[in-house]
Amino acid sequence: MQRRSFLRSLGLLSAGLALPAAPALARAVAFVTRQVNGKVTAQGRGIAGVAVSDGYSVVLTDQQGRYQLQPHYDARFVFISLPAGYEIPNEQGIARFYQPLDPAAAQQVADFALQAMKGGDERHSFIVWADPQMRNNGYDAEQFHTTSVPDTKAHVATLSHGPVFGIGCGDIAFDHFEVYEDYKKGVAAVGIPFFSLIGNHDMDYTARTDNGSQATFNQLFGPTYYSFNRGKVHYVVLDDVFFIGAGHRYIGYITEEQLRWLERDLKFVPAGSTVVVAMHIPSNTGAQAREALKEDPIGGVVMNRQALYKLLQPYKVQIISGHTHWNEVWEQDNITEHNLGTLCGAWWSGPVCGDGTPNGYGVFEVNGSDISWHYKATGFDRQHQMRLYKPGAVPGKPGSFMANVWNADERWAIEWLEDGVAKGAMTPYTGLDPLAVELYEGAEKPSRNKGVEPNITSHLFIATPSATARMLTVKATDRSGKVYEERLMLNA
């Protein structure tokens, strides 16, 4: 556990390829008063009430779909908060809801032409890929294309209630930006539009400050923070990875400019609405308590999260994050956070993350303002939601067996049966997943990435069967009442 922990070290990461940051604007150009005019239309008719932003101010289109704004001198894009009921503009699956700003132009026209969606989108679904994190376009990219992409495409086909979109939840690359082409090909093959957000491995570490660290991402995917709407849900994407200007170090932090923008963006969202916030570093996790840390790991959670929570207080909030390479769901007050297991698992070094969660992705199904979710393990069907271990797998409890129910939260019921006889609830347990220990613990494992170690997790459950038990069954019931079941046969 001592050899690898980017959650305890200011985000200190291995060095990798980084492209040079875009040159700063000349001061004479930066202070030119600029004006952007445009129109948001569908089939030639203006759309009223669409939020348009430069990342600083937010304005609404008028009855004819027209808008006007004066961009901030640091603004790089003008973008729309895509209204509900319209198709997501995209290029081979990569969402294009923005236009770059010309820093030398005093006047600029930026029009947005949308297409109305047949059947509406009050019911819709979305897929979240956390940390594809390909280090190279060899083995990592091959695994991405031959396992993750076809699995996602097949699962999308089962989501029959309304349109489906995707979110790439950061660390698309592992510092080597040439793999972005592989990512884009994968997105195109899945066949749904994907929104993208920046992770710590997607930054230019040659930049002198955080402001320049998004240059490559900006060129390929547009702004690093923005919003859009699907049905009755308002979606917000944030950049919470703050480069501190030295090495590969960063902290989890949301800048003041983003918080101000979010405050303005949310003024047009009615209180009580469902708001989904996607960002790379989780706002919070249970790691501090599980690992008995004196304080939060500043590279592993958002240090100024209370400011974010305050802005989100009037809403029903789902936060979706990646970064940690484990799976965890927590809930407090009006917020539920899904810190998702990763597409690459333990950096493409094995079939599971450090907490035993299978390589996979999050799936969220939306009906009006209600959201249900499940975790989809790559290579398994939707029912695969737990792994069982025979007695002897629990340190210090040789008679106990274990269930790892990776997407369980406090509202799940985890029960067990012995030879068909109900025995009640299993006991929550915090520790290491036995498969993760087998694959990753020790200085020589795994062979492809010796820095990987298993993580302490709290989504484990144990119980002690009788000495004569032949078959153990675990029934896990999620918060929506869906039941998952696995059986474990013991030797006679």
Side-chain angles (χ1 to χ4, degrees):
M1 296 297 292
Q2 300 300 318
R3 294 182 290 113
R4 167 85 183 185
S5 182
F6 55 69
L7 302 184
R8 298 183 189 174
S9 63
L10 278 172
L12 182 62
L13 302 175
S14 59
L17 178 65
L19 300 180
L25 298 177
R27 183 57 54 187
V29 173
F31 287 101
V32 169
T33 299
R34 296 185 289 169
Q35 182 169 295
V36 178
N37 301 279
K39 196 171 184 180
V40 182
T41 60
Q43 288 76 52
R45 301 184 64 178
I47 308 172
V50 178
V52 185
S53 179
D54 63 345
Y56 295 85
S57 60
V58 182
V59 299
L60 295 183
T61 56
D62 65 16
Q63 290 300 312
Q64 287 73 45
R66 297 173 301 193
Y67 74 91
Q68 182 181 102
L69 60 80
Q70 291 186 340
H72 189 276
Y73 58 81
D74 280 336
R76 304 172 189 178
F77 299 95
V78 57
F79 54 90
I80 60 171
S81 185
L82 182 68
Y86 293 88
E87 301 284 356
I88 299 169
N90 67 90
E91 291 180 10
Q92 295 186 320
I94 302 297
R96 302 297 191 202
F97 51 92
Y98 59 89
Q99 294 189 37
L101 288 170
D102 181 353
Q107 299 281 336
Q108 185 171 344
V109 175
D111 295 330
F112 297 89
L114 305 178
Q115 182 177 341
M117 178 178 293
K118 295 180 180 179
D121 56 3
E122 284 206 10
R123 295 193 71 172
H124 64 272
S125 303
F126 61 98
I127 301 288
V128 182
W129 279 352
D131 301 65
Q133 206 157 343
M134 292 171 279
R135 188 194 303 265
N136 56 64
N137 50 22
Y139 179 83
D140 293 1
E142 180 185 1
Q143 292 301 302
F144 170 70
H145 286 298
T146 60
T147 63
S148 304
V149 170
D151 188 281
T152 305
K153 183 176 182 179
H155 196 59
V156 165
T158 70
L159 303 173
S160 58
H161 300 296
V164 185
F165 67 90
I167 297 175
C169 207
D171 279 4
I172 296 169
F174 193 161
D175 302 329
H176 296 259
F177 296 155
E178 65 268 21
V179 302
Y180 282 139
E181 287 304 312
D182 285 289
Y183 175 76
K184 290 160 64 177
K185 289 177 183 177
V187 164
V190 171
I192 60 174
F194 266 75
F195 293 93
S196 304
L197 63 93
I198 194 169
N200 52 285
H201 285 288
D202 300 315
M203 298 194 299
D204 294 279
Y205 284 106
T206 56
R208 67 182 187 181
T209 66
D210 180 68
N211 285 349
S213 68
Q214 304 102 15
T216 299
F217 183 93
N218 288 156
Q219 292 169 12
L220 295 172
F221 304 109
T224 60
Y225 61 93
Y226 51 90
S227 68
F228 59 95
N229 303 275
R230 299 280 83 190
K232 294 183 178 180
V233 179
H234 186 66
Y235 292 85
V236 174
V237 170
L238 294 176
D239 170 7
D240 65 350
V241 185
F242 189 88
F243 173 50
I244 65 171
H248 277 48
R249 295 186 177 95
Y250 58 88
I251 62 174
Y253 183 80
I254 301 173
T255 60
E256 176 64 20
E257 67 185 20
Q258 285 188 77
L259 292 172
R260 288 182 181 177
W261 166 82
L262 180 59
E263 190 171 28
R264 292 162 182 157
D265 176 79
L266 292 175
K267 284 182 179 179
F268 303 112
V269 181
S273 300
T274 296
V275 174
V276 173
V277 179
M279 52 195 190
H280 181 63
I281 295 177
S283 73
N284 200 10
T285 73
Q288 182 181 3
R290 285 194 298 270
E291 301 184 27
L293 303 176
K294 292 183 178 179
E295 56 186 19
D296 283 323
I298 64 175
V301 297
V302 175
M303 301 309 295
N304 61 336
R305 59 184 174 271
Q306 294 302 329
L308 174 64
Y309 295 166
K310 185 176 181 180
L311 291 179
L312 296 173
Q313 195 278 328
Y315 306 101
K316 296 183 294 183
V317 179
Q318 304 276 341
I319 297 177
I320 299 171
S321 55
H323 185 59
T324 63
H325 294 250
W326 66 58
N327 200 72
E328 180 178 7
V329 182
W330 63 265
E331 187 174 32
Q332 182 176 333
D333 301 325
N334 65 317
I335 295 175
T336 301
E337 179 157 6
H338 310 262
N339 184 210
L340 292 171
T342 58
L343 204 67
C344 72
W347 297 269
W348 302 109
S349 297
V352 298
C353 302
D355 66 338
T357 300
N359 301 7
Y361 48 92
V363 184
F364 298 81
E365 297 175 272
V366 184
N367 184 4
S369 59
D370 296 325
I371 301 179
S372 60
W373 56 85
H374 61 275
Y375 185 86
K376 176 62 176 65
T378 304
F380 296 88
D381 63 29
R382 176 175 175 164
Q383 292 297 116
H384 185 59
Q385 296 293 321
M386 72 183 92
R387 186 185 306 107
L388 307 186
Y389 296 97
K390 292 182 178 181
V394 185
K397 298 179 182 293
S400 296
F401 80 105
M402 176 188 289
N404 187 339
V405 190
W406 39 79
N407 212 34
D409 58 49
E410 292 183 354
R411 296 197 191 187
W412 284 48
I414 313 298
E415 303 165 295
W416 70 291
L417 298 84
E418 179 181 308
D419 295 325
V421 178
K423 294 293 185 178
M426 297 184 74
T427 301
Y429 178 79
T430 297
L432 298 176
D433 174 80
L435 178 58
V437 171
E438 178 186 343
L439 294 173
Y440 306 139
E441 188 173 65
E444 298 305 314
K445 296 187 292 187
S447 59
R448 293 200 71 253
N449 190 341
K450 291 182 172 58
V452 174
E453 289 287 346
N455 302 119
I456 297 173
T457 182
S458 55
H459 49 65
L460 305 175
F461 302 85
I462 63 173
T464 304
S466 68
T468 58
R470 299 174 61 88
M471 181 179 71
L472 304 176
T473 304
V474 175
K475 293 175 63 176
T477 306
D478 69 16
R479 59 171 63 202
S480 66
K482 187 171 181 59
V483 178
Y484 304 97
E485 186 173 303
E486 291 285 348
R487 293 180 178 178
L488 183 66
M489 302 303 298
L490 304 181
N491 295 327

